[in-house]
Amino acid sequence: MADRQVSMDKIVNLCKARGIIFPGSDIYGGMGNTWDYGPVGVEMKNNIKRAWWKRFVQESTNSFGVDAAILMNPKVWEASGHTTSFADPQMDCKECKSRHRADNLIEAHSKGTVNPDLMTNEQMEAYIAEHHVCCPRCGNFNWTPIRQFNLMFSTSRGVTEDNRNVIYLRPETAQGEFVNFQNVQRTMRAKIPFGIAQIGKAFRNEITPGNFIFRTIEFEQMEHQWFCKEGTDVEYYEEFKKKAWKFLTDLGFDESHLRFKDHDKLAHYAKCACDIQYLFPMGWSELNGIHNRTDYDLSRHQEYSGKTMIYNDPITNEKYIPYVVEYSIGADRLMLAVLSEAYEEEELEGGDTRVVMHFHPAVAAYKAAVLPLQKNLADKAKEIYAELSKRFMITYDDAGSIGKRYRRQDEIGTPFSVTIDFDTLEDNTVTVRDRDTMAQIRISVDKLADYINERIAFN
Ligand code: ATP
């Protein structure tokens, strides 16, 4: 359904023009790779988060949510390994001073045929020299050696700035779930297997952010850790791959735009790991990850905190540190995928084109637009708006021709447009126009809310 010719520029321009996403600190000329969600975008992102939470927490009998602090005890990052190894291989161009990731340079130069994840820093440097990989910005070949660049943002706590007070903005939400493993297990009387989920901000000082909201330095993650017994982990890993895939297809993604990609090089803690990639406007890229993290995280937290992470099985009396299967997806990256997937430039009879966003109705910012055909129908239209907005996010538009108003709603993906005309005053009926088919039906105002409600659920 979606036009695969959609470019990033079209998405960025539409987002800016229609109140979806603006450049951050816009009036000051922006602040590199930060973005602000506007009135339409904030509704959409909240709806995406709601759909995810519904699927992975609400509809699961044994998954529990948390909302942990962004600032955590620095020992957490020692235990997790982030302090020493959460780093990317950075190379600077000595000519134009631009900064690059060595692995990305190799991937781009080899058009994906060489996998830099399998290389050491020395091997990457050798490849770049041998193939004379030039700076993509200025075209020169004058690189610094590779340096490992830690991606964590640090700040200091308290009134004096010294090394003892350094704390970090969390680079992932996962650790907030691990450190609360015992708290959640005890208070919820949870039995293995069970899950802990969280949605929240994470921060990474990315060397090469870009591609709009694909890679930013501040973003939201939706993460779900599934605690299970060793031996069952492989089965649950497969189960979460299926669940992650189904979540996306239920949101309306075309299967031909999604694919699994196994990691060739595993993180030191992982037993197996894969991504689901999406065909973004700039090409296939990671949308989410599924990782079998073994008992690494809980064991490390036990070691560093001195607190036990052992689970006592109340039925078998076995005692063990659970394995973890993680499913992690960026809310902003999913938003970009949703925008890309929904975009269509449709040619209409008569030579006109319309831009229409075919969002799943559950994701759309507004479930319906209330449009009085003429301004003197405002009283009735506002009455209908007031009733509908008790149940859904509704928008109201009385400016311009009805055709232009429909187009505005198509561009932000509003699934239904409700037109109030003079017959409405006589017989209490309205015209409901469907965004995708543009078909119109006449229905009674009394049935309107239920009509909309039946068509917007995410199940
Ligand atoms: P990448 O390889 O793209 O840097 P990653 O493998 O480091 O991603 P994870 O640490 O597994 O990513 O994070 C889980 C998810 O969080 C990713 O699949 C992605 O959706 C999202 N994510 C990670 N980094 C960013 C970022 N800088 N901006 C936006 N979303 C991100």
Side-chain angles (χ1 to χ4, degrees), residues 276-292:
I276 293 179
Q277 296 186 331
Y278 172 66
L279 188 54
F280 284 96
M282 69 285 183
W284 287 103
S285 305
E286 172 178 339
L287 175 56
N288 70 232
I290 300 131
H291 312 123
N292 182 341

Side-chain angles (χ1 to χ4, degrees), residues 167-272:
I167 54 171
Y168 300 97
L169 301 186
R170 67 180 176 199
E172 62 174 28
T173 54
Q175 301 304 324
E177 291 136 77
F178 298 136
V179 299
N180 281 299
F181 165 70
Q182 292 288 22
N183 284 338
V184 172
Q185 192 276 321
R186 236 187 352 260
T187 53
M188 298 291 107
R189 292 173 295 124
K191 291 195 183 62
I192 295 279
F194 71 91
I196 304 184
Q198 173 169 218
I199 298 178
K201 288 256 174 167
F203 304 81
R204 294 183 188 179
N205 201 358
E206 298 275 6
I207 297 171
T208 50
N211 283 321
F212 192 30
I213 52 171
F214 177 81
R215 187 182 303 287
T216 49
I217 51 178
E218 171 185 344
F219 54 97
E220 267 182 286
Q221 287 187 313
M222 308 192 282
E223 295 201 299
H224 184 277
Q225 315 295 335
W226 185 249
F227 299 91
C228 60
K229 191 176 170 196
E230 180 182 1
T232 62
D233 51 310
V234 176
E235 183 189 321
Y236 286 124
Y237 175 73
E238 292 304 325
E239 192 177 311
F240 272 92
K241 280 172 71 174
K242 287 197 196 111
K243 280 190 179 179
W245 185 272
K246 187 164 186 317
F247 174 64
L248 295 172
T249 54
D250 287 352
L251 270 183
F253 283 89
D254 187 318
E255 298 216 351
S256 69
H257 301 154
L258 298 170
R259 69 182 187 195
F260 281 109
K261 174 88 173 55
D262 285 328
H263 288 199
D264 293 320
K265 185 176 164 188
L266 294 175
H268 49 287
Y269 52 77
K271 184 163 156 187
C272 40

